[in-house]
Amino acid sequence: MWGGRKLSSSGSRVLGMLGSGFRSTQAAGRLLASWAVYSENQLSWTLQIKPRLFSEYRAMWFESYRMIFPCLTRIKSYRSPWKKLYSTSQTTVDSKEVKTFLALAHKWWDEYGAYAPLHSMNDLRIPFIRDNLLKTVANHQPGKPLSAMKILDVGCGGGLLTEPLGRLGASVMGIDPVDENIKIARHHKSFDPVLDKRIEYRVCSVEEIVEETAETFDAVIASEVVEHVIELETFIQCCCQVLKPGGSLFITTINKTQLSYALAIVFSEQIAGFVPKGTHMWEKFVSPEKLESILESNGLSVLTVAGMLYNPFSGYWHWSENNSLNYAAHAVRCMVQEHPGPAEFVLMGETELHGNASTSAGVREELKK
């Protein structure tokens, strides 16, 4: 149509002449110019002879463009809920924090040294994790109550929390970006043949294993970690993605209050020296409200937030209704049956979207009961 056959044959002759060794630049220019004039004349002839046909095609083209463009725009802007949110260009690891913990790596298993508060915290956090996980299983083995569980310990350090969870029967993967921490952890677990089989350690961050371990773990633990990462939302996204639907996320951290600044940094680090200087940055502390907001936006329902208090003189922790200093949170990833495909989403009306939102809210309410 529109003299296409003639244009094509003309183009073939030109290319044939050029390809067969046509060397004269001026001759080639004249030939191409004449071909362009011929093409223009052909198009002009077509528009004059068949104006109605051209108008019909022009109307059809504009109508198709008008219908298709909005759909393409909506599909492009839509980000499906199951799509991987993690980008390899992002990292949650703070290089300054890595240097700080690298200098303390040899002190992990000194119960009276820099990590004494973490050793003592096990008296609270291990029962907290164990008891909440046991609510999700009907039967468990005596002596090994977590034997059916696969757990990820993010920022495991020297394995202070990883090993006790392994002793409860769980299969645990401990990850940490500090190579020296993992060396210490591997060396320590090697003394126990049982733990050697149940625990795996890796030098990496959580975002580096998202794709290979998506929806793998029954529980993810980030104990005393979120106050050391950058890109907190990315960190939470990754923790959520490696959880199975219905899996649990456990976090212990420090609230962002004036009291936490006074006690956790000024007193504990700068005055009393209970914690090495530079261990914490108040700007990275996160309040329970902000943490819950991030968790909820990533499909996790927060079931428990409990305050924790540490007595540096006795060396013991205890639960408290006051969470202005330390606190522990337990959240569960919501169960999702099906996800709509992109095309299905485009055709979905506003009424259906609002209906799905109310259903999700109902699921969260059921989980909180």
Side-chain angles (χ1 to χ4, degrees), residues 1-10 38-39 42-43 45-46 50:
M1 194 176 298
W2 294 0
R5 186 163 47 193
K6 293 182 179 180
L7 292 176
S8 299
S9 60
S10 300
Y38 173 77
S39 301
Q42 283 292 108
L43 179 59
W45 176 84
T46 303
K50 300 180 180 180

PDB file of all heavy atoms in Angstrom, residues 1-10 38-39 42-43 45-46 50:
ATOM      1  N   MET A   1       0.852  -1.187   0.000  1.00  0.00           N
ATOM      2  CA  MET A   1       0.000   0.000   0.000  1.00  0.00           C
ATOM      3  C   MET A   1       0.894   1.246   0.000  1.00  0.00           C
ATOM      4  O   MET A   1       1.990   1.225   0.528  1.00  0.00           O
ATOM      5  CB  MET A   1      -0.908  -0.026   1.231  1.00  0.00           C
ATOM      6  CG  MET A   1      -2.052   0.980   1.164  1.00  0.00           C
ATOM      7  SD  MET A   1      -3.145   0.807   2.594  1.00  0.00           S
ATOM      8  CE  MET A   1      -3.722  -0.853   2.364  1.00  0.00           C
ATOM      9  N   TRP A   2       0.350   2.346  -0.538  1.00  0.00           N
ATOM     10  CA  TRP A   2       1.081   3.603  -0.666  1.00  0.00           C
ATOM     11  C   TRP A   2       2.358   3.442  -1.497  1.00  0.00           C
ATOM     12  O   TRP A   2       3.385   4.028  -1.246  1.00  0.00           O
ATOM     13  CB  TRP A   2       1.490   4.180   0.705  1.00  0.00           C
ATOM     14  CG  TRP A   2       0.327   4.596   1.518  1.00  0.00           C
ATOM     15  CD1 TRP A   2      -0.978   4.525   1.178  1.00  0.00           C
ATOM     16  CD2 TRP A   2       0.377   5.153   2.829  1.00  0.00           C
ATOM     17  NE1 TRP A   2      -1.773   4.981   2.168  1.00  0.00           N
ATOM     18  CE2 TRP A   2      -0.958   5.381   3.206  1.00  0.00           C
ATOM     19  CE3 TRP A   2       1.393   5.488   3.698  1.00  0.00           C
ATOM     20  CZ2 TRP A   2      -1.291   5.914   4.432  1.00  0.00           C
ATOM     21  CZ3 TRP A   2       1.075   6.024   4.911  1.00  0.00           C
ATOM     22  CH2 TRP A   2      -0.259   6.247   5.283  1.00  0.00           C
ATOM     23  N   GLY A   3       2.293   2.578  -2.519  1.00  0.00           N
ATOM     24  CA  GLY A   3       3.468   2.410  -3.382  1.00  0.00           C
ATOM     25  C   GLY A   3       4.636   1.798  -2.684  1.00  0.00           C
ATOM     26  O   GLY A   3       5.771   2.032  -3.048  1.00  0.00           O
ATOM     27  N   GLY A   4       4.393   0.986  -1.663  1.00  0.00           N
ATOM     28  CA  GLY A   4       5.474   0.386  -0.878  1.00  0.00           C
ATOM     29  C   GLY A   4       6.337  -0.533  -1.701  1.00  0.00           C
ATOM     30  O   GLY A   4       7.541  -0.655  -1.494  1.00  0.00           O
ATOM     31  N   ARG A   5       5.712  -1.250  -2.648  1.00  0.00           N
ATOM     32  CA  ARG A   5       6.469  -2.192  -3.447  1.00  0.00           C
ATOM     33  C   ARG A   5       7.503  -1.464  -4.297  1.00  0.00           C
ATOM     34  O   ARG A   5       8.632  -1.884  -4.431  1.00  0.00           O
ATOM     35  CB  ARG A   5       5.498  -2.975  -4.318  1.00  0.00           C
ATOM     36  CG  ARG A   5       6.158  -4.108  -5.098  1.00  0.00           C
ATOM     37  CD  ARG A   5       5.120  -5.090  -5.591  1.00  0.00           C
ATOM     38  NE  ARG A   5       3.994  -4.363  -6.201  1.00  0.00           N
ATOM     39  CZ  ARG A   5       2.839  -4.935  -6.496  1.00  0.00           C
ATOM     40  NH1 ARG A   5       2.641  -6.215  -6.197  1.00  0.00           N
ATOM     41  NH2 ARG A   5       1.855  -4.243  -7.067  1.00  0.00           N
ATOM     42  N   LYS A   6       7.085  -0.329  -4.877  1.00  0.00           N
ATOM     43  CA  LYS A   6       8.015   0.436  -5.697  1.00  0.00           C
ATOM     44  C   LYS A   6       9.143   1.014  -4.854  1.00  0.00           C
ATOM     45  O   LYS A   6      10.293   1.035  -5.256  1.00  0.00           O
ATOM     46  CB  LYS A   6       7.273   1.560  -6.411  1.00  0.00           C
ATOM     47  CG  LYS A   6       6.283   1.044  -7.449  1.00  0.00           C
ATOM     48  CD  LYS A   6       5.602   2.181  -8.174  1.00  0.00           C
ATOM     49  CE  LYS A   6       4.618   1.672  -9.225  1.00  0.00           C
ATOM     50  NZ  LYS A   6       3.947   2.779  -9.930  1.00  0.00           N
ATOM     51  N   LEU A   7       8.801   1.499  -3.656  1.00  0.00           N
ATOM     52  CA  LEU A   7       9.840   2.054  -2.778  1.00  0.00           C
ATOM     53  C   LEU A   7      10.838   0.983  -2.394  1.00  0.00           C
ATOM     54  O   LEU A   7      12.042   1.215  -2.353  1.00  0.00           O
ATOM     55  CB  LEU A   7       9.199   2.661  -1.530  1.00  0.00           C
ATOM     56  CG  LEU A   7       8.349   3.915  -1.753  1.00  0.00           C
ATOM     57  CD1 LEU A   7       7.700   4.321  -0.436  1.00  0.00           C
ATOM     58  CD2 LEU A   7       9.198   5.050  -2.297  1.00  0.00           C
ATOM     59  N   SER A   8      10.330  -0.191  -2.115  1.00  0.00           N
ATOM     60  CA  SER A   8      11.213  -1.272  -1.697  1.00  0.00           C
ATOM     61  C   SER A   8      12.150  -1.671  -2.811  1.00  0.00           C
ATOM     62  O   SER A   8      13.348  -1.888  -2.608  1.00  0.00           O
ATOM     63  CB  SER A   8      10.390  -2.486  -1.248  1.00  0.00           C
ATOM     64  OG  SER A   8       9.584  -2.136  -0.174  1.00  0.00           O
ATOM     65  N   SER A   9      11.629  -1.764  -4.041  1.00  0.00           N
ATOM     66  CA  SER A   9      12.493  -2.153  -5.155  1.00  0.00           C
ATOM     67  C   SER A   9      13.536  -1.077  -5.441  1.00  0.00           C
ATOM     68  O   SER A   9      14.687  -1.369  -5.756  1.00  0.00           O
ATOM     69  CB  SER A   9      11.643  -2.413  -6.399  1.00  0.00           C
ATOM     70  OG  SER A   9      10.932  -1.236  -6.765  1.00  0.00           O
ATOM     71  N   SER A  10      13.130   0.193  -5.282  1.00  0.00           N
ATOM     72  CA  SER A  10      14.098   1.285  -5.477  1.00  0.00           C
ATOM     73  C   SER A  10      15.188   1.201  -4.435  1.00  0.00           C
ATOM     74  O   SER A  10      16.372   1.364  -4.737  1.00  0.00           O
ATOM     75  CB  SER A  10      13.381   2.637  -5.371  1.00  0.00           C
ATOM     76  OG  SER A  10      12.386   2.736  -6.351  1.00  0.00           O
ATOM     77  N   TYR A  38      11.823  10.853  -5.345  1.00  0.00           N
ATOM     78  CA  TYR A  38      10.877   9.852  -5.874  1.00  0.00           C
ATOM     79  C   TYR A  38       9.929   9.375  -4.768  1.00  0.00           C
ATOM     80  O   TYR A  38       8.722   9.271  -4.961  1.00  0.00           O
ATOM     81  CB  TYR A  38      11.656   8.675  -6.449  1.00  0.00           C
ATOM     82  CG  TYR A  38      10.778   7.521  -6.875  1.00  0.00           C
ATOM     83  CD1 TYR A  38      10.048   7.579  -8.077  1.00  0.00           C
ATOM     84  CD2 TYR A  38      10.664   6.384  -6.083  1.00  0.00           C
ATOM     85  CE1 TYR A  38       9.244   6.532  -8.461  1.00  0.00           C
ATOM     86  CE2 TYR A  38       9.852   5.337  -6.460  1.00  0.00           C
ATOM     87  CZ  TYR A  38       9.146   5.404  -7.663  1.00  0.00           C
ATOM     88  OH  TYR A  38       8.346   4.350  -8.031  1.00  0.00           O
ATOM     89  N   SER A  39      10.493   9.106  -3.584  1.00  0.00           N
ATOM     90  CA  SER A  39       9.682   8.632  -2.462  1.00  0.00           C
ATOM     91  C   SER A  39       8.671   9.689  -2.068  1.00  0.00           C
ATOM     92  O   SER A  39       7.508   9.391  -1.791  1.00  0.00           O
ATOM     93  CB  SER A  39      10.582   8.302  -1.258  1.00  0.00           C
ATOM     94  OG  SER A  39      11.510   7.318  -1.629  1.00  0.00           O
ATOM     95  N   GLN A  42       5.913   9.796  -4.568  1.00  0.00           N
ATOM     96  CA  GLN A  42       5.025   8.657  -4.408  1.00  0.00           C
ATOM     97  C   GLN A  42       4.036   8.893  -3.285  1.00  0.00           C
ATOM     98  O   GLN A  42       2.856   8.603  -3.399  1.00  0.00           O
ATOM     99  CB  GLN A  42       5.837   7.386  -4.117  1.00  0.00           C
ATOM    100  CG  GLN A  42       6.509   6.774  -5.337  1.00  0.00           C
ATOM    101  CD  GLN A  42       5.461   6.202  -6.284  1.00  0.00           C
ATOM    102  OE1 GLN A  42       5.224   6.774  -7.357  1.00  0.00           O
ATOM    103  NE2 GLN A  42       4.803   5.125  -5.916  1.00  0.00           N
ATOM    104  N   LEU A  43       4.542   9.395  -2.139  1.00  0.00           N
ATOM    105  CA  LEU A  43       3.672   9.653  -0.993  1.00  0.00           C
ATOM    106  C   LEU A  43       2.662  10.744  -1.327  1.00  0.00           C
ATOM    107  O   LEU A  43       1.478  10.640  -1.003  1.00  0.00           O
ATOM    108  CB  LEU A  43       4.514  10.076   0.223  1.00  0.00           C
ATOM    109  CG  LEU A  43       3.729  10.407   1.498  1.00  0.00           C
ATOM    110  CD1 LEU A  43       2.904   9.203   1.939  1.00  0.00           C
ATOM    111  CD2 LEU A  43       4.677  10.854   2.599  1.00  0.00           C
ATOM    112  N   TRP A  45       1.542  11.480  -4.279  1.00  0.00           N
ATOM    113  CA  TRP A  45       0.572  10.899  -5.227  1.00  0.00           C
ATOM    114  C   TRP A  45      -0.476  10.101  -4.473  1.00  0.00           C
ATOM    115  O   TRP A  45      -1.662  10.164  -4.748  1.00  0.00           O
ATOM    116  CB  TRP A  45       1.328  10.017  -6.210  1.00  0.00           C
ATOM    117  CG  TRP A  45       0.405   9.289  -7.177  1.00  0.00           C
ATOM    118  CD1 TRP A  45      -0.120   9.759  -8.336  1.00  0.00           C
ATOM    119  CD2 TRP A  45      -0.077   7.956  -7.008  1.00  0.00           C
ATOM    120  NE1 TRP A  45      -0.915   8.829  -8.928  1.00  0.00           N
ATOM    121  CE2 TRP A  45      -0.907   7.683  -8.128  1.00  0.00           C
ATOM    122  CE3 TRP A  45       0.115   6.968  -6.050  1.00  0.00           C
ATOM    123  CZ2 TRP A  45      -1.550   6.469  -8.288  1.00  0.00           C
ATOM    124  CZ3 TRP A  45      -0.520   5.762  -6.206  1.00  0.00           C
ATOM    125  CH2 TRP A  45      -1.343   5.510  -7.306  1.00  0.00           C
ATOM    126  N   THR A  46      -0.026   9.349  -3.478  1.00  0.00           N
ATOM    127  CA  THR A  46      -0.946   8.513  -2.718  1.00  0.00           C
ATOM    128  C   THR A  46      -1.952   9.358  -1.958  1.00  0.00           C
ATOM    129  O   THR A  46      -3.144   9.064  -1.910  1.00  0.00           O
ATOM    130  CB  THR A  46      -0.176   7.634  -1.725  1.00  0.00           C
ATOM    131  OG1 THR A  46       0.762   6.853  -2.454  1.00  0.00           O
ATOM    132  CG2 THR A  46      -1.109   6.696  -0.965  1.00  0.00           C
ATOM    133  N   LYS A  50      -5.759   8.894  -2.997  1.00  0.00           N
ATOM    134  CA  LYS A  50      -6.563   8.155  -2.029  1.00  0.00           C
ATOM    135  C   LYS A  50      -6.634   8.897  -0.694  1.00  0.00           C
ATOM    136  O   LYS A  50      -6.166   8.409   0.334  1.00  0.00           O
ATOM    137  CB  LYS A  50      -5.981   6.760  -1.810  1.00  0.00           C
ATOM    138  CG  LYS A  50      -5.943   5.932  -3.087  1.00  0.00           C
ATOM    139  CD  LYS A  50      -5.365   4.544  -2.830  1.00  0.00           C
ATOM    140  CE  LYS A  50      -5.337   3.718  -4.096  1.00  0.00           C
ATOM    141  NZ  LYS A  50      -4.763   2.358  -3.847  1.00  0.00           N
TER     142      LYS A  50
END
